[in-house]
């Protein structure tokens, strides 16, 4: 593990108290939540669970904590899709819009809560008709269209466990996830619109299933782009055929609070992504609570927009389960922040693209909460203030950021250009593992500092510790959670040892997040980035080992080491150092071939920014690659202590070699 001293931003220490204007209209800002939770956090979460969630069978037990396994509300029963849909319809809010959909080509759709419920019932009956049963696992590999939440809700209605796979992942990633969980079906679309053209999904599923994942009996295909695809007889079925005659009678079956709701795979320090397990009652309680309070949700008037992808935890909790449970209207957008202007598209010249696409959407729908990632904010900054000017953003009440540390400059840009210096910004820290927000200011309550995530939400106990596990109240340390929380992971699918060793062994009694953080003199918490071998590229988590394994699979590569390097736009970029086998000609051709190879194997987000060809890698005398040194080289930093190296000349050779490659 490396030292938690990544970068401490030197900025003017400004604070932003909640504006009076916001406080005057805020619905859920309430300082007393902190006092209540500090006095008795179990009672606090039990109250939230009772007030926010509808239970078929009320719980009497709150928390059973047998470290590292927690059960929350375990004798209670509830149905996830009932909480998201039926109860709003029963309360007479069936005509309320659940989702506005904006497709990348400009097509639009709306779904009311009643309409969404009907679609979910029909699709759930379709799944039952295929023989799927409670506890079975199903993979979902779809574009950002409403049918994706419909598929998830249908699964949750009948107790089928979903495993959503990000649409940018490769066939190998699909196969690996289907095999790990023995998925019985894959739900996909022919393609989704990406940068002006249909980008195929079903062909990648076919490739994934061609030589593996034998448990997959069916592939359900939604026709999004009307592309020409192959349908495998007896295995593949169109979504529209599956629901054509499906009944609308599909009762929401009560599930145990600890019923497995979904698996979501995430990269760790091992080569293979791990299946993070989330269950129903505790997860929903925290997703619903945080969504309501962190975004100050007004279910009657808000149009809430989270721009994440549902392939990540942010989309699960803050596009699907949180917003629907709160009965708010959300917006879902299929495309990227800049898109070709379809009407005047000139080739693929990005200069002509519509860089105000998101602001145009905010204006047209009157978006009230806007939630995005720092990489996107830095991209907007690069495009220039003029791309925002002229759009009416006055409907926005709360701004959010998530996924990576936000630099204060980007925070200030967001505050000034999008927030017009009047809207609170919530910097929300959480993880696939935490399920819901853990660190973030509550708008209307907290005074914020640009770049700081401020501190824990009520009912969570983040603490920094030093190497020896002693609690630190000032300065840098490792971020841990000292007590269980309702939406915490319940384990790693079929790998209890890895669960134990990844999260619970470093600091006994504490959950270790893998992040470094610091507490400043005023007690504000700042995230400093990962301290393990995980990179964070545009808010996407990628393991160095995973990219290394991909590189060494290429026949030209003898050995590889991968590190994250600071990147102005993406936060971190992937840099690979490779030793080629003897008979391969070094040069730019092989460098770009290796980058392409990784992108094909793992998906485009894992494409290395640079691949350097080296003669040797810096290793300790025991043969361990010293990533710290490679990180320093990649960052152009002065090199620290190299005395433990087996051969200290290696580092100098790499440094000179990579500088020369950059110049070419
Ligand atoms: O390093 C932290 C970073 O993203 C990691 C979690 O990644 P993932 O499970 O993919 O979930 C991403 C979306 C929540 C964390 O360990 N991270 C997440 N949010 C923040 C952050 N780093 C700094 N500030 C944040 N707000």
């Amino acid at each position: 593990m490396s030292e938690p001293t990544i970068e401490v931003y030197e900025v003017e220490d400004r604070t932003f108290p909640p504006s009076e204007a916001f406080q005057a209209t805020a619905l859920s800002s309430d300082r007393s939540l902190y006092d209540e939770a500090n006095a008795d956090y179990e009672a606090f979460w039990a109250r939230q669970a009772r007030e926010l969630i509808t239970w078929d069978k009320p719980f009497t037990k709150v928390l059973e904590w047998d470290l590292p396994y927690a059960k929350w509300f375990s004798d209670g029963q509830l149905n996830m899709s009932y909480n998201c849909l039926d109860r709003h319809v029963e309360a007479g809010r069936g005509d309320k819009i659940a989702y506005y959909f904006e497709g990348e080509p400009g097509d639009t759709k709306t779904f009311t809560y009643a309409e969404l419920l009907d679609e979910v019932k029909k699709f759930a009956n379709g799944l039952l008709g295929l023989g799927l049963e409670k506890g079975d696992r199903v993979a979902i590999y779809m574009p950002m269209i409403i049918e994706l939440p419909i598929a998830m809700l249908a699964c949750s209605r009948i107790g089928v466990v979903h495993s959503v796979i990000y649409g940018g992942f490769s066939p190998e990633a699909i196969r690996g996830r289907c095999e790990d969980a023995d998925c019985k079906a894959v739900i996909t679309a022919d393609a989704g619109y990406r940068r002006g053209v249909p980008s195929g999904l079903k062909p990648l599923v076919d490739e994934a299933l061609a030589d593996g994942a034998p448990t997959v009996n069916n592939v359900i295909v939604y026709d999004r782009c009307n592309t020409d695809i192959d349908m495998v007889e007896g295995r593949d079925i169109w979504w529209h055929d599956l629901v054509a005659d499906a009944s609308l009678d599909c009762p929401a079956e009560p599930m145990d609070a600890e019923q497995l709701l979904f698996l979501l795979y995430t990269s760790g320090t091992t080569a293979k992504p791990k299946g993070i397990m989330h269950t129903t009652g505790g997860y929903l309680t925290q997703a619903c609570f945080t969504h309501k309070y962190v975004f100050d949700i007004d279910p009657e008037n808000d149009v809430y927009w989270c721009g994440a992808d549902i392939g990540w935890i942010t989309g699960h909790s803050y596009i699907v389960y949180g917003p629907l449970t709160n009965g708010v209207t959300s917006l879902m957008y299929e495309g990227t922040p800049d898109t070709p202007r379809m009407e005047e598209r000139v080739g693929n010249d990005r200069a002509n693209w519509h860089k105000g696409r998101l602001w145009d959407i905010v204006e047209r729908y009157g978006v009230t909460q806007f939630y995005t990632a720092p990489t996107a904010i830095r991209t907007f900054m690069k495009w220039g203030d003029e791309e925002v000017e002229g759009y009416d953003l006055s409907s926005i009440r709360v701004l959010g950021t998530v996924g990576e540390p936000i630099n204060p400059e980007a925070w200030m840009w967001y505050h000034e250009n999008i927030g017009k210096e009047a809207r609170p910004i919530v910097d929300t820290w959480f993880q696939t593992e935490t399920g819901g927000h853990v660190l973030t200011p509550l708008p209307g309550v907290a005074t914020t500092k640009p770049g700081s995530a401020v501190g824990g939400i009520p009912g969570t106990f983040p603490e920094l510790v030093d190497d020896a596990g002693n609690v630190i109240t000032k300065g840098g340390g490792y971020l841990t959670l000292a007590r269980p929380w309702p939406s915490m992971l319940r384990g790693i699918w079929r790998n209890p040892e890895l669960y134990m060793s990844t999260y619970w062994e470093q600091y006994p009694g504490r959950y270790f997040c893998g992040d470094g953080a610091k507490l400043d003199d005023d007690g504000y918490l700042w995230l400093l980035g990962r301290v393990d071998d995980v990179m964070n590229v545009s808010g996407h988590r990628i393991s160095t080992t995973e990219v290394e394994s991909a590189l060494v699979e290429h026949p030209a590569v003898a050995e590889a080491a991968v590190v994250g390097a600071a990147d102005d736009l993406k936060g971190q970029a992937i840099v690979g150092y490779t030793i080629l086998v003897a008979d391969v000609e070094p040069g730019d051709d092989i460098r770009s071939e290796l980058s392409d190879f990784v992108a094909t194997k793992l998906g485009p987000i894992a494409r290395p920014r640079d691949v350097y060809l080296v003669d040797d890698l810096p290793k300790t005398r025991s043969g361990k690659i010293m990533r710290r040194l490679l990180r320093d080289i990649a960052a152009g930093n002065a090199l620290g202590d190299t005395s433990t190296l087996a051969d200290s000349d290696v580092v100098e050779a790499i440094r000179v070699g990579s500088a020369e490659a950059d110049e070419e």
Side-chain angles (χ1 to χ4, degrees), residues 266 312-314 371 374 401-406 427-433 439 453 513-515 527-530 536 539-541:
T266 187
W312 315 111
I313 191 68
T314 309
Y371 188 30
T401 153
V402 64
E404 355 152 31
I406 182 163
D427 177 8
T428 61
W429 177 95
F430 74 118
Q431 307 180 296
T432 308
E433 292 88 339
L439 303 172
C513 310
D515 279 279
L527 275 315
L528 301 177
R530 302 287 306 193
N536 189 329
H540 302 318
R541 198 162 141 178

Side-chain angles (χ1 to χ4, degrees), residues 45 286-287 290-291 294-295 314 317-318 371 402 426 428-431 434-440 457 460 485 487:
W45 284 119
Q286 194 161 341
T290 48
H291 179 257
V294 172
F295 299 111
T314 309
S317 304
Y318 300 109
Y371 188 30
V402 64
V426 288
T428 61
W429 177 95
F430 74 118
Q431 307 180 296
T434 71
H437 296 154
V438 174
L439 303 172
T440 173
I457 61 158
T460 59
W485 62 102
S487 61

Side-chain angles (χ1 to χ4, degrees), residues 104 194-197 338-354:
E104 201 202 64
R194 203 83 188 150
R195 304 190 187 285
V197 283
D338 63 332
T339 45
R341 289 181 188 274
M342 307 303 282
E343 69 281 10
E344 54 191 74
R345 187 167 168 206
V346 188
N348 234 355
D349 181 0
R350 290 289 283 273
N352 291 321
W353 285 25
H354 186 0

Side-chain angles (χ1 to χ4, degrees), residues 355-493:
K355 298 194 178 70
R357 181 77 193 256
L358 302 189
W359 317 127
D360 175 48
I361 295 174
V362 168
E363 180 179 307
R364 271 190 290 121
Y365 291 90
V367 167
T368 46
Q369 285 88 358
F370 182 77
Y371 188 30
T372 191
T375 294
I377 299 168
R378 289 189 290 265
T379 305
F380 305 144
M381 281 173 80
K382 201 180 91 184
W383 287 342
D385 303 355
E386 60 277 12
E387 297 295 343
V388 184
E389 280 160 17
Y391 292 102
D392 180 2
L393 307 180
S394 60
S395 55
I396 294 180
R397 295 203 295 117
V398 180
L399 292 171
T401 153
V402 64
E404 355 152 31
I406 182 163
N407 46 319
E409 298 75 16
W411 196 102
M412 286 304 298
W413 185 90
Y414 202 32
H415 171 70
E416 285 166 9
N417 291 277
I418 310 302
K420 311 296 178 198
E421 303 190 20
R423 319 280 186 265
I425 298 181
V426 288
D427 177 8
T428 61
W429 177 95
F430 74 118
Q431 307 180 296
T432 308
E433 292 88 339
T434 71
H437 296 154
V438 174
L439 303 172
T440 173
L442 292 186
V445 172
T447 294
T448 49
K449 274 189 187 180
S452 162
V454 181
I457 61 158
T460 59
F461 299 87
E463 287 178 351
L464 301 193
V465 297
D466 64 15
D467 270 325
N470 302 311
V471 174
I472 291 171
T473 51
K474 205 185 212 188
Y478 302 103
L479 179 62
T480 67
L481 299 176
R483 293 189 198 173
W485 62 102
S487 61
M488 68 189 279
L489 74 169
R490 299 303 197 258
I492 295 176
W493 177 252

Side-chain angles (χ1 to χ4, degrees), residues 292-307:
K292 177 175 166 162
Y293 286 90
V294 172
F295 299 111
D296 191 54
I297 292 297
D298 172 358
E300 296 317 317
N301 300 306
D302 281 346
V303 179
Y304 158 90
W305 185 10
C306 166

Side-chain angles (χ1 to χ4, degrees), residues 514-534:
D515 279 279
K518 73 158 191 171
L519 278 162
D520 71 14
D521 292 346
D522 304 322
Y524 283 72
L525 202 140
W526 300 67
L527 275 315
L528 301 177
R530 302 287 306 193
V531 292
D532 53 10
D533 292 329
V534 173

